[in-house]
Amino acid sequence: MPPSANFGVDPCGDVDEAGAGADSRARNHSRMPSSAPSAVTRSALVILAVIACGVVLYVLRDIFTPLALAIFLAVMIDGLARLLLRRAPFLPRAAAAPAAIVLSIAVFAGAAVLIAENAADFVVQIAAYGPRLNGLMEQAAGLLGVQAPQSLEQLIRQLNPAQYLSQVGGALQGFASSAVFVLIYLGFILASRRGFERKIVGLFPDRHERREAVAAFHRIRDGVEQYLWVQTVTGVMIAVASWIAMALVGLDNALFWALLIFIASYIPIIGGIVGVAAPPIFALLQFDSLWPAAILAAVLQGVQFVVGNIIQPRMQGESLNMDPVVILLSLALWGAIWGLPGMFLSTPIAVMAMVILAQFDGTRWIAILLSDDGEPVRAKDADFPTAAPPPEAAPQDFESGASL
């Protein structure tokens, strides 16, 4: 065939060029790195990691619960030490931490002694409420039109409390061992706090990254301390007002109930319910009339409403910034994983999680969902300017809050 029939194109050359191009594309494709995991894959991995962490925390709760309580107490003691330095300038800096430890031990020991002394009287008086409780059960059965239940003595005899003594003893032994582990962990944490500076410098050699890490740590610490401060002050207000109301009504063991109300105030939602419901119930057992219980229930509910809806939000301000639904879910979650200690620690843990998640662009959307106003503050956006710090800036103490 003449060359003009092929329009001047050599078929062999065309095939060779096409084959060479295919080989080149195949080699380039073989050298290309594998594609990054999709968003669905990353989300699935995050969900599986969260579930795995929850299982580990539940299975090893006997180890992690004392450690978490020790960290919580260490933060509280550190905040008390810095408060003593601000309020008592004459106190040497080296003596602030020991003074805070001694003061904390004195407060806890005093509260434990008061609760133990009043608990003995409380148990004795419960036995004396038996006839009154039987009468109340008969009245309630008559109003509802049902058969009257068994008397208190018969119920106790049927339940046979002696068979539960071993379980009670085991629970007390577990509580004592957990308390010992908490104190051991606390001692080691307080003894090793001086090495935190060197650790943070080793983890973040870059000065700007170190400033971001320190600012995030300070925001977590300030959030937890603010929560503790607000809960303590409002708990004292509720306990004192409740004690005055119970003393005026004449309720037995008013001081014991006031201490329990103060301790329960650290548990969100459930603590308020216990503080409002328990004293009126025992007022029904103590008094023949319903009026003392009704008056006590109205006063306690009013105290809880005023403190919880007026005073506490103003004291708390925007420092906590947690969605109430998140607080409730955190209470249920950590209560299921760690029991009563988890309920105490549920809100501080939620605050820590929100602040940490807000530091990274990939997890900031989770922090937004956890926050109350949809604007969780990131340490690098709120605590120092966007410009890099000057290299000649002097390092700063990790605990005091200055720039490293």
Side-chain angles (χ1 to χ4, degrees):
M1 180 182 296
S4 59
N6 291 326
F7 301 97
V9 178
D10 186 3
C12 296
D14 192 11
V15 172
D16 293 340
E17 291 178 0
D23 293 340
S24 177
R25 287 193 298 270
R27 288 192 301 269
N28 292 334
H29 179 72
S30 64
R31 288 195 299 265
M32 289 177 61
S34 59
S35 59
S38 63
V40 177
T41 303
R42 290 196 300 268
S43 300
L45 290 176
V46 170
I47 294 174
L48 291 176
V50 171
I51 295 175
C53 290
V55 172
V56 171
L57 291 174
Y58 177 77
V59 173
L60 301 179
R61 58 187 179 276
D62 293 336
I63 298 175
F64 286 112
T65 301
L67 178 61
L69 289 173
I71 295 174
F72 184 77
L73 291 175
V75 172
M76 183 186 69
I77 292 174
D78 180 70
L80 182 58
R82 287 183 286 106
L83 178 64
L84 291 176
L85 287 176
R86 289 196 300 267
R87 300 298 182 182
F90 58 88
L91 187 68
R93 184 179 180 85
I101 294 173
V102 172
L103 184 59
S104 301
I105 293 175
V107 170
F108 283 114
V113 170
L114 288 176
I115 291 176
E117 290 181 352
N118 289 272
D121 298 336
F122 179 73
V123 172
V124 172
Q125 290 178 355
I126 286 180
Y129 293 151
R132 174 63 178 165
L133 181 59
N134 294 332
L136 289 176
M137 290 190 297
E138 293 178 358
Q139 294 178 8
L143 292 175
L144 297 175
V146 297
Q147 184 179 1
Q150 297 177 340
S151 64
L152 181 62
E153 292 80 5
Q154 292 175 344
L155 289 175
I156 294 175
R157 195 178 304 112
Q158 183 177 357
L159 291 175
N160 188 16
Q163 64 180 345
Y164 300 106
L165 290 178
S166 61
Q167 299 180 6
V168 173
L172 293 176
Q173 183 180 2
F175 175 78
S177 61
S178 297
V180 171
F181 275 115
V182 169
L183 294 178
I184 293 174
Y185 282 134
L186 179 61
F188 278 96
I189 290 173
L190 294 177
S192 62
R193 60 196 297 265
R194 292 297 179 184
F196 289 162
E197 275 188 58
R198 293 187 295 272
K199 292 178 182 179
I200 202 69
V201 171
L203 287 173
F204 303 97
D206 182 72
R207 184 182 297 273
H208 187 63
E209 293 180 355
R210 188 158 63 245
R211 286 170 59 91
E212 293 182 4
V214 172
F217 169 80
H218 287 159
R219 179 157 178 78
I220 294 173
R221 184 192 66 185
D222 294 342
V224 173
E225 290 179 356
Q226 181 70 10
Y227 169 76
L228 284 175
W229 169 251
V230 171
Q231 292 299 117
T232 302
V233 174
T234 55
V236 169
M237 292 180 181
I238 295 173
V240 171
S242 301
W243 176 78
I244 293 174
M246 291 183 290
L248 291 177
V249 170
L251 185 68
D252 293 334
N253 301 306
L255 182 59
F256 174 74
W257 284 114
L259 288 174
L260 290 185
I261 290 172
F262 171 73
I263 295 173
S265 65
Y266 287 94
I267 303 178
I269 303 172
I270 296 178
I273 296 175
V274 171
V276 171
I281 291 176
F282 280 85
L284 288 174
L285 300 177
Q286 178 179 341
F287 302 103
D288 296 331
S289 174
L290 298 178
W291 283 108
I295 294 173
L296 195 58
V299 172
L300 295 181
Q301 178 62 38
V303 170
Q304 291 279 354
F305 179 82
V306 171
V307 175
N309 294 277
I310 298 177
I311 299 177
Q312 187 171 5
R314 292 187 178 182
M315 292 182 61
Q316 188 170 284
E318 299 179 356
S319 60
L320 192 58
N321 192 22
M322 293 294 299
D323 193 305
V325 178
V326 173
I327 294 177
L328 180 61
L329 291 177
S330 178
L331 175 68
L333 175 64
W334 290 105
I337 295 177
W338 285 348
L340 187 60
M343 294 182 180
F344 276 99
L345 300 174
S346 59
T347 302
I349 292 175
V351 172
M352 294 172 60
M354 185 186 69
V355 175
I356 293 174
L357 293 173
Q359 307 307 311
F360 309 99
D361 295 332
T363 57
R364 183 171 171 79
W365 63 274
I366 304 178
I368 292 175
L369 295 178
L370 297 179
S371 64
D372 187 24
D373 57 2
E375 296 182 358
V377 179
R378 282 195 293 190
K380 61 183 179 182
D381 294 336
D383 292 282
F384 49 86
T386 56
E392 65 274 12
Q396 182 195 9
D397 186 11
F398 181 66
E399 298 174 358
S400 63
S403 165
L404 281 168

